[in-house]
Amino acid sequence: MTENGRDRDSEGRARNARPRDGLGRPLPYGAQGVERQPEGVIRTPEETVREAQLLLDAGKPFHAHEVFEDAWKSGPEDERALWRGLAQLAVGLTHSARGNTAGGARLLLRGAGGIASYPSPYGIDIAGLTSWARELAGRVTEGGPVDAGAEAPRLTSVTRRAG
């Protein structure tokens, strides 16, 4: 923290150093939070999908959104809308779980629209995700907050094996 009371990184950019909970909400300084995702990590698309799925399954869609954001910012220009759309889906789930159902529904629909034109790259189940997002957007608009872990989507059409 700088002398003016603002959190800054080593280059002087604003960074909030407060701990965060699993949905990315800031906690008081000194509280025990969830480990944050490092920013600016360059991953392969497959690593991005795999890491984001683990975070979604753990009920941490805010953190999955940060993984997608890295891919959006570092990936090829023709894939940026894909990764941005996936980030919007994750943050839409985040807002829906936090109780911001109108904002969550809007982001879910925006994310679904952003990925809809892609032909399922990297095994990503575009049709399944757009269907999931539209259905969840309708439910949160009518019924209130959801459990992020219970509502986590499957990013790929490959099912997990038990064990």
Side-chain angles (χ1 to χ4, degrees):
M1 193 172 304
T2 63
E3 61 231 22
N4 68 0
R6 297 190 65 199
D7 295 328
R8 299 283 176 176
D9 67 12
S10 60
E11 278 107 40
R13 290 186 302 256
R15 296 279 186 233
N16 190 329
R18 286 173 60 183
R20 293 183 177 264
D21 71 6
L23 292 174
R25 292 176 289 218
L27 299 170
Y29 286 104
Q32 184 68 26
V34 172
E35 186 174 342
R36 296 178 77 169
Q37 287 302 117
E39 292 184 43
V41 176
I42 297 175
R43 301 169 184 86
T44 67
E46 294 81 6
E47 289 169 335
T48 296
V49 171
R50 189 171 36 255
E51 187 164 343
Q53 186 68 68
L54 290 171
L55 292 163
L56 288 166
D57 291 347
K60 299 176 184 176
F62 177 81
H63 302 279
H65 128 269
E66 291 180 328
V67 170
F68 287 134
E69 194 172 87
D70 284 340
W72 157 21
K73 291 179 178 180
S74 67
E77 184 65 37
D78 63 339
E79 292 184 1
R80 291 206 173 145
L82 169 69
W83 301 114
R84 182 177 53 240
L86 291 168
Q88 289 170 329
L89 293 178
V91 89
L93 177 56
T94 300
H95 281 281
S96 297
R98 288 178 177 176
N100 176 8
T101 55
R106 228 178 355 263
L107 282 160
L108 288 164
L109 295 174
R110 188 178 306 149
I115 67 170
S117 66
Y118 284 88
S120 297
Y122 312 111
I124 298 170
D125 183 5
I126 298 295
L129 285 170
T130 56
S131 177
W132 165 83
R134 291 178 178 133
E135 188 272 332
L136 183 58
R139 273 194 297 123
V140 300
T141 300
E142 298 298 320
V146 297
D147 178 290
E151 296 292 344
R154 293 297 315 147
L155 298 175
T156 64
S157 56
V158 177
T159 57
R160 275 188 291 189
R161 295 173 70 178

